[in-house]
Amino acid sequence: MSKLDIANNRATSKYSRRELVERVLWGAVKPLFHCSPRLLHGWRRLLLRALGARIGHAVQIHPSVRIFLPSLLDIGNESALDQDVRLYNLGPMKIGSQTTISQGAHLCGGSHDDQDPTLPLIRATITIGDCAWVCADAFIGPNVSIGEGAVVAARAVCVRDAAPWQVVAGNPARMIRERTLRSR
């Protein structure tokens, strides 16, 4: 059995110079984001856009949302991120329009290659489609795509793609039914 090469992992640069500068700037700006009153959604959109995030109109982001790299974030129009959402966006993260990410959800766009003794960082993408809903305390893993209109139920662990207009639940998340919207 081989041993891990932790020293080599720690010595490896994981971010570009631009990303390191962004992390320092985001660290300085974060208090302005997190301490802003709940209703100041425009202020938080402005701060994120200033750091390179692509944020649509009428997006509501709670001040307790945690974002790793704003420049890798893309959120469509009229979406909402509720309190204590965690966006660990080491790679590109796209959240569609009219999408809801409920309280405590964790979108994890990073991991490590456990087959390599140096445990290199994996910077993965996550895509959440338009009209989707990631419910309270759900976990979305690296390289996962949640289809248009899909629902990831509360506390679900989604480590595989969820097809459009399906409701997935459990650990690991599995399809439990189709989602249909009633007409008004």
Side-chain angles (χ1 to χ4, degrees):
M1 177 180 229
S2 297
K3 295 209 178 234
L4 296 177
D5 187 357
I6 302 303
N8 194 355
N9 173 283
R10 291 180 180 160
T12 303
S13 176
K14 296 163 184 64
Y15 307 101
S16 69
R17 272 193 194 277
R18 187 187 66 71
E19 289 170 332
L20 291 172
V21 168
E22 180 185 344
R23 288 182 68 193
V24 169
L25 290 172
W26 180 227
V29 169
K30 264 193 237 187
L32 299 172
F33 182 94
H34 291 302
C35 292
S36 61
R38 188 166 190 255
L39 295 176
L40 290 185
H41 301 293
W43 170 247
R44 288 185 292 281
R45 288 191 302 264
L46 177 74
L47 291 175
L48 290 171
R49 287 175 184 144
L51 289 168
R54 287 153 307 285
I55 309 292
H57 75 271
V59 171
Q60 295 187 354
I61 302 174
H62 195 278
S64 65
V65 169
R66 295 194 321 210
I67 298 164
F68 190 75
L69 280 173
S71 66
L72 295 176
L73 183 59
D74 185 341
I75 303 175
N77 299 328
E78 300 176 340
S79 289
L81 281 68
D82 207 348
Q83 64 188 14
D84 300 323
V85 165
R86 182 181 303 175
L87 304 179
Y88 189 50
N89 59 328
L90 291 176
M93 185 174 288
K94 181 169 177 42
I95 298 170
S97 295
Q98 296 184 336
T99 293
T100 299
I101 312 294
S102 291
Q103 66 273 11
H106 183 172
L107 282 61
C108 183
S111 189
H112 294 273
D113 181 353
D114 64 358
Q115 304 276 318
D116 185 324
T118 65
L119 296 171
L121 186 64
I122 296 171
R123 300 177 66 174
T125 62
I126 291 179
T127 303
I128 312 293
D130 294 344
C131 304
W133 178 16
V134 177
C135 297
D137 296 318
F139 177 87
I140 309 296
N143 289 320
V144 170
S145 179
I146 306 301
E148 177 185 10
V151 175
V152 179
R155 299 260 169 131
V157 176
C158 205
V159 293
R160 292 195 184 100
D161 293 353
W165 300 100
Q166 289 189 346
V167 177
V168 299
N171 181 5
R174 289 180 168 59
M175 198 269 280
I176 58 171
R177 66 177 169 82
E178 298 288 325
R179 179 185 186 197
T180 55
L181 298 177
R182 290 186 290 279
S183 58
R184 297 182 123 221

